[in-house]
Amino acid sequence: MDLHNYLGYLIISILTITSPGAAILLAINNSMKYDLRAVVFSSLGNILGLFLLSLVAMFGVGVLIKTSDMFFWILKIIGAIYLIYLGVKHMISGHKEFHLSQTNEHIRNYNPKKVFIKGFLVAATNPKPILFFTAIFPLFLSTNHPVVLQFFIMTFTFMVISFVSLMTYGLISKHAKAWFFDEKSLEWFYKISGAVFVLMGIGMLFIKK
C-alpha cells in the first residue's frame, strides 16, 4: 500500500488507541488485581474482538450500522449495559475480591479464560471500532493496490498498536501497586474505576453515527 497513506493511518491509529478508554481501564485493573499475565490474556481478547469487528465492517455490517438506526441502537445498548455492569461490579465488590498481599497469592486466583473473554467483550460490544474501521479505512485505501491486502495490513497494524498500548498501561500500573497496599486506597481505586466504567457505558448511549 502507499507509504504516505500508511503513515497517516498509523498516526491516527496511535492517537485513537492510546487515548483512555474501556480497554485501557480494564488492562490497568487486571494489572492491579492480578499481574501482567492477566493483562496479556485480556489484551489478546481485546485484539481478537477488534479483528472480528474489522471483518464485520469489511463484510458490510458496518454499512448496516451506519444506515440502520435500530441496529446501531441495539449495539450501543448492549455495549453500554456491559460497561455499566463491569462498573457496578467494581464499585460494589472489586476491593473485596482483591486484597493485595506481599506474597502475591492473589495472582493464582483468576481464570485466564474469563479474563480473556472479558477483554473480548469490552471490544466486541463497542460500536466505536466498527465505525472507525468503516469510516477511517476508506480514507487511506489506495486504488493502486489490492484493497483486501491493505485492509488486513491496516487491521493488524491496529491490533499490534492496541496490544502494545494495553501492555504499556498494564506495566505502568504494575509499578504503582505499592500505593494500593493501603486498604482505603484500594477501595477508592475500585470505586473510581468502577464509576468511570459506568460513565463510559452511559456515554456510549450518546455516540452518534
Side-chain angles (χ1 to χ4, degrees), residues 33 84-95 97 118:
K33 189 173 183 178
I84 292 172
Y85 162 75
L86 288 180
V88 172
K89 185 177 180 181
H90 272 79
M91 287 189 289
I92 293 176
S93 60
H95 69 286
E97 296 175 354
K118 185 178 289 187

Side-chain angles (χ1 to χ4, degrees), residues 11-155:
I11 293 173
I12 289 181
S13 296
I14 291 174
L15 292 175
T16 301
I17 293 167
T18 56
S19 59
I24 289 175
L25 184 57
L26 184 62
I28 293 174
N29 272 276
N30 284 330
S31 179
M32 291 292 187
K33 189 173 183 178
Y34 305 122
D35 59 359
L36 283 179
R37 185 167 170 263
V39 181
V40 172
F41 284 116
S42 67
S43 300
L44 289 175
N46 185 269
I47 63 173
L48 175 61
L50 293 176
F51 179 70
L52 292 180
L53 289 183
S54 70
L55 289 179
V56 164
M58 181 179 181
F59 288 107
V61 179
V63 176
L64 177 61
I65 290 174
K66 293 175 71 176
T67 57
S68 172
D69 289 336
M70 180 177 293
F71 193 81
F72 182 72
W73 262 99
I74 290 174
L75 190 59
K76 283 203 303 184
I77 291 172
I78 292 174
I81 290 174
Y82 186 66
L83 288 181
I84 292 172
Y85 162 75
L86 288 180
V88 172
K89 185 177 180 181
H90 272 79
M91 287 189 289
I92 293 176
S93 60
H95 69 286
K96 296 177 182 177
E97 296 175 354
F98 169 46
H99 295 280
L100 192 61
S101 66
Q102 295 285 356
T103 58
N104 288 328
E105 293 179 354
H106 65 284
I107 290 177
R108 297 190 293 270
N109 297 330
Y110 72 92
N111 186 324
K113 182 179 179 180
K114 289 183 178 180
V115 173
F116 178 88
I117 292 175
K118 185 178 289 187
F120 172 80
L121 289 176
V122 165
T125 59
N126 190 344
K128 292 176 68 176
I130 297 182
L131 295 178
F132 177 88
F133 289 127
T134 55
I136 300 299
F137 271 39
L139 300 178
F140 294 95
L141 290 175
S142 172
T143 56
N144 298 323
H145 302 280
V147 174
V148 174
L149 178 61
Q150 292 180 77
F151 187 92
F152 281 103
I153 290 175
M154 293 164 71
T155 297

Side-chain angles (χ1 to χ4, degrees), residues 191-203:
K191 284 183 178 180
I192 293 173
S193 63
V196 172
F197 267 120
V198 172
L199 290 175
M200 287 180 179
I202 295 174

